[in-house]
């Protein structure tokens, strides 16, 4: 079944941006996979973890992070077995992307549904990154203002102009033809994410040591009503869900591993190490942030002005965030660009608008190759993400909606279903019941987080 399906992959052009498989030497090992996973996971979501911890308290907060770490680890173990078909260790057919694995194991209809969620995930990430970058630009402006005028000064700056600046930069960068030209940008983004996350961790630790005591409580931040507390808890769960999963890049990372040993064994070991390191880092960032500020913990640890000094370090951290998000936006958008443009090229093979490229010559600059479809579609895409971000510029609520909407289908449902198919798990066996119960529980948890995050988004817009 796996080989036959693999031979018919050209029937689903929108679902993949991969060309025909070109043989190359795979040299990756456990430690290269660990590095890829950690750089792919740690990002802007870490900045909301202190706020999430504050909503949940000292018991539920760490337990929630550990719970999502275990869910992520289990789903990655299931997904690792979908790289080869039909046998997870020695199958001759390789699935080189998440969507390809879904297509081979579950068929075209499931692949299209999965593809829809993947595109929503990529588009939503673009919106979240636009909001976060604008907040970081504003934080630099406010930090410099507070340093000059004093901490009690009225330093108010808007986000709209910052979002427009970020959008213009992305329109220019989006004309880069494909993902292979973005390696330098991806490396820069990974370095920046480690830098600002470490600064946030260090500032939180320094604040706790300087104060000499730990803020916070077992129940988290008190609220005016039980309903409000429930909504805040659900948003916190959504934010944590945004910070953890890496299912979309797992199979691509696995495709870089040498064999023997079997790639799924190496990937499971790498995932265990990476999730352990990431969880420790997350617990430290969230824990020290909450310990430093207690009920006053800001939604974004580096832009909510729990910290004022040293102002230059706050500026540097937020500059790192901006650089990371400039690159991260393209890393997440380019696969969507490639999918859509490949579909247009297959649908309209004779269209000059779709297929022809033109050379733009500018003084003192190298020639620029422009394609009209790429110019128009990618520019409209950036305008849409920027426009939606300007309408809903709410960091924690947007992360909550995005995380809760995408977490269950991409990190739980499809990995479980592919595992059932590949391992030929029969209905009502012990393993089937346990995994089905696990999937349903994660669905209910995601719905709870999604409803609360949408409520928070609407409330923030109306207030």
């Amino acid at each position: 079944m796996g080989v036959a399906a693999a031979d018919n992959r050209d029937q689903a052009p929108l679902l993949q941006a991969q060309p025909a498989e070109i043989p190359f030497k795979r040299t990756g090992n456990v430690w290269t996979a660990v590095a890829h996973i950690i750089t792919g996971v740690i990002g802007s979501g870490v900045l909301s973890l202190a706020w999430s911890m504050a909503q949940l308290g000292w018991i539920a907060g760490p337990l929630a992070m550990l719970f999502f770490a275990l869910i992520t680890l289990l789903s990655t173990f299931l997904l690792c077995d979908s790289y080869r078909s039909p046998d997870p260790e020695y199958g001759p057919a390789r699935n080189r992307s998440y969507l390809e694995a879904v297509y081979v194991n579950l068929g075209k209809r499931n692949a299209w549904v999965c593809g829809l969620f993947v595109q929503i995930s990529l588009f939503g990430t673009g919106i979240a990154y636009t909001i976060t970058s604008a907040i970081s630009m504003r934080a630099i402006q406010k930090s410099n203002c507070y340093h000059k005028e004093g901490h009690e000064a009225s330093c108010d700056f808007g986000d709209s102009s910052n979002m427009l600046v970020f959008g213009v930069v992305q329109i220019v960068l989006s004309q880069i033809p494909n993902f292979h030209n973005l390696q330098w940008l991806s490396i820069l983004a990974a370095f920046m994410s480690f830098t600002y996350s470490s600064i946030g961790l260090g500032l939180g630790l320094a604040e706790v040591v300087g104060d000499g005591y730990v803020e916070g409580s077992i129940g988290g931040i008190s609220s005016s009503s039980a309903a409000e507390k429930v909504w805040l808890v659900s948003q916190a769960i959504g934010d944590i869900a945004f910070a953890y999963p890496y299912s979309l890049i797992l199979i691509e990372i696995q495709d870089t591993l040498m064999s023997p040993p079997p790639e799924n064994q190496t990937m499971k070991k790498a995932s265990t190490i990476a999730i352990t390191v990431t969880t420790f880092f997350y617990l430290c960032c969230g824990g020290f942030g909450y310990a430093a500020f207690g009920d006053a913990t800001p939604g974004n640890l580096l832009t909510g002005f729990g910290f004022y000094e040293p102002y230059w370090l706050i500026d540097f951290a937020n500059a790192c965030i901006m650089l990371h998000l400039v690159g991260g936006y393209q890393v997440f958008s380019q696969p969507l660009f490639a999918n859509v443009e490949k579909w247009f090229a297959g649908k309209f093979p004779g269209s000059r608008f779709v297929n022809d490229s033109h050379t733009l010559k500018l003084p003192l600059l190298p020639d620029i190759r422009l394609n009209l479809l790429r110019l128009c579609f990618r520019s409209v895409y950036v305008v849409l993400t920027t426009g939606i971000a300007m309408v809903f510029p709410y960091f924690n609520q947007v992360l909550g909606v995005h995380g809760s909407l995408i977490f269950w289908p991409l990190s739980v449902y499809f990995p479980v279903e592919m595992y059932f198919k590949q391992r030929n798990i029969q209905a009502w066996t012990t393993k089937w019941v346990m995994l089905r119960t696990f999937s349903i529980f994660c669905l209910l948890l995601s719905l709870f987080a999604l409803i609360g995050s949408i409520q928070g988004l609407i409330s923030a817009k109306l207030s």
Side-chain angles (χ1 to χ4, degrees), residues 256-340:
T256 67
L257 300 177
M258 68 174 73
S259 179
E263 299 91 346
N264 64 335
Q265 293 181 15
T266 304
M267 197 65 192
K268 288 175 183 178
K269 185 182 297 184
S271 294
T272 303
I273 296 171
I275 291 176
T276 300
V277 172
T278 301
T279 301
F280 175 77
F281 192 76
Y282 281 3
L283 286 170
C284 290
C285 286
F288 283 124
Y290 182 39
F293 302 112
D295 286 1
T297 302
N300 183 323
L301 190 59
L302 289 174
T303 64
F305 285 88
F307 305 109
Y308 289 95
E309 300 291 344
Y311 83 99
W312 59 267
L313 187 59
I314 306 299
D315 287 356
F316 177 69
N318 281 288
C320 289
I321 294 173
M322 290 163 51
L323 287 172
H324 168 227
L325 298 180
V326 165
Y329 185 102
Q330 288 300 315
V331 168
F332 281 96
S333 298
Q334 286 284 340
L336 187 150
F337 295 159
N339 285 337
V340 173

Side-chain angles (χ1 to χ4, degrees), residues 110 233 325 351 372 382 415:
N110 279 284
V233 167
L325 298 180
S351 172
L372 292 179
V382 174

Side-chain angles (χ1 to χ4, degrees), residues 190-207:
F191 178 74
M192 292 296 104
S193 69
F194 268 109
T195 301
Y196 69 70
S197 299
S198 300
I199 291 173
L201 170 59
L203 288 172
L205 175 60
E207 189 80 13

